Amino acid sequence: MFRSLLVVSFLLMMSVAHAARYGHYDPNRLLSVSETASGKRYSFNLAYLDRVLQDLSAHAKNYPPRFDSPQDRQRAVEDVKRFSRMLDVLVNAPRPNTRILARAGYLNSIGYNLDIPGSGEKAVSIFERLLAAAPSDPWGNYLYGRFLANARKPRQALPYLQKAYAAGIANAAYTLGMTYLSLGNREKALEHLEMYKRRNPDDTRVDTLIEAIRSGKIRFGQS
């Protein structure tokens, strides 16, 4: 049901124009391996990874993904698979860096939106490991909460999204609004969407969504 809500939100909030073209990325720029006296040493280019994630996010952070062509979508799918395998080197380390975990969890949440088998389970595992190490991490809570909401687990998503919003992640209010709407709580949905609007006054597109809820054009709840 939450994916149905995301489709509605997508139609109300996004332009009908195609997304910009998805870029071409070289995995050799992400990971370098060198031999040392104590064994192999792995170096990750986080700036390059963030560039890839920014492009993927523009196309597939929500469901359904938007691509300019089927070829762009397929290239994105292959990139998510490839970069996820490469990040496993650090994710599976005894004490992984929380910044790596956040990026790896987000990458696999995008893979879930792209219908890549196993990406959802992998995202859960990584996010839970991140939040076990850093329970108050604002972006970790936000990204995990948004993933759970998108994965049709709205009740599980709420505490993570609430923690993220309390920590200053303004966009969490929008996801909270949609999550409450999926649970049939119209009042809470409007409350959080209006909170989002107050902190994002230039985002006029949310007005359409709020008006649709108020007028009864959107009436969703759990089936």
Side-chain angles (χ1 to χ4, degrees):
M1 177 57 70
F2 195 80
R3 281 203 171 192
S4 297
L5 281 172
L6 285 178
V7 172
V8 171
S9 176
F10 168 82
L11 293 172
L12 289 169
M13 297 281 288
M14 305 300 293
S15 169
V16 295
H18 285 175
R21 290 188 62 83
Y22 176 69
H24 293 261
Y25 299 100
D26 180 4
N28 293 322
R29 294 186 59 184
L30 177 65
L31 172 66
S32 59
V33 184
S34 58
E35 293 288 346
T36 69
S38 57
K40 291 183 177 180
R41 179 180 178 182
Y42 298 94
S43 299
F44 273 80
N45 184 340
L46 287 183
Y48 190 69
L49 176 59
D50 286 343
R51 177 180 162 190
V52 177
L53 285 172
Q54 183 177 14
D55 199 352
L56 285 167
S57 181
H59 295 82
K61 71 176 179 180
N62 293 319
Y63 190 90
R66 298 191 309 148
F67 288 92
D68 188 64
S69 68
Q71 292 78 15
D72 278 9
R73 179 189 171 104
Q74 185 57 39
R75 190 165 65 257
V77 166
E78 294 305 318
D79 281 351
V80 171
K81 291 178 179 178
R82 184 181 299 112
F83 289 129
S84 179
R85 288 194 298 268
M86 296 172 75
L87 284 171
D88 284 345
V89 173
L90 295 183
V91 167
N92 295 325
R95 298 178 64 183
N97 186 293
T98 55
R99 293 182 301 164
I100 292 292
L101 291 176
R103 289 165 169 84
Y106 185 43
L107 180 66
N108 282 282
S109 73
I110 289 173
Y112 175 79
N113 289 336
L114 289 168
D115 299 317
I116 298 175
S119 289
E121 294 83 356
K122 196 169 183 179
V124 169
S125 176
I126 294 171
F127 280 132
E128 289 188 348
R129 192 171 183 187
L130 164 62
L131 293 176
S136 299
D137 183 88
W139 278 103
N141 279 283
Y142 173 57
L143 293 173
Y144 191 29
R146 192 171 72 182
F147 166 76
L148 288 170
N150 194 32
R152 304 178 188 177
K153 297 179 180 178
R155 294 191 187 280
Q156 293 181 36
L158 286 176
Y160 298 103
L161 293 170
Q162 289 163 346
K163 186 178 287 189
Y165 185 74
I169 306 298
N171 285 348
Y174 175 80
T175 312
L176 276 164
M178 297 306 296
T179 302
Y180 278 117
L181 189 59
S182 76
L183 292 168
N185 192 330
R186 178 176 173 273
E187 289 74 19
K188 281 286 189 181
L190 285 170
E191 175 187 340
H192 285 84
L193 290 171
E194 288 164 354
M195 287 162 59
Y196 168 83
K197 175 65 178 177
R198 285 195 293 273
R199 297 185 67 172
N200 297 270
D202 295 331
D203 189 351
T204 57
R205 297 170 298 176
V206 76
D207 293 331
T208 304
L209 179 59
I210 290 172
E211 178 56 31
I213 297 171
R214 285 177 175 164
S215 65
K217 293 179 181 178
I218 297 179
R219 293 180 181 176
F220 282 110
Q222 285 191 312
S223 56

